[in-house]
Amino acid sequence: EVQLVESGGGLVQAGGSLRVSCAASGFRIGDYAIGWFRQVPGKEREGLSCIGVDNKTYYSSTVKGRFTMSSDNAKNTVYLRMNSLKPEDTAVYYCAADPLSCHRRMNYWGQGTQVTVSS
């Protein structure tokens, strides 16, 4: 069974940093596309970054240069390091996986972790 479990969210001051994690089970992360998304209540889910099955990493223009996605195959875990956080980064952060590609409706989703950035 494919499972994704996010962790590492919390409260951080504007300008600070945070790293969220996504522990995967039921598949090898190197065999799937893995993405990070976020959502604010009342707004559409936003794609942030993704490591494709080609092992290339993609970032949205909103977070490029501030957020870095990485993976640890030995731990079967992916990470999202977030620097220079802004209050508008406040959201529930989700990781998602898909056997084929990075896209908005990936097959498998975690439960999310809350990130709150105070001004």
Side-chain angles (χ1 to χ4, degrees), residues 5 14-15 21 35-36 39 45 47 49 51 63 75 88-89 111 119:
V5 179
S21 303
W36 281 101
Q39 190 166 23
R45 185 184 300 153
S49 66
I51 299 177
V63 303
K75 295 183 178 180
E88 51 264 42
D89 293 317
Q111 83 289 348
S119 56

Side-chain angles (χ1 to χ4, degrees), residues 7 31 35 38 50 53 59 66 70 97 103 114:
S7 61
D31 294 339
R38 68 186 180 191
C50 193
V53 292
Y59 295 97
R66 295 192 300 127
S70 62
H103 58 91
Q114 175 71 47

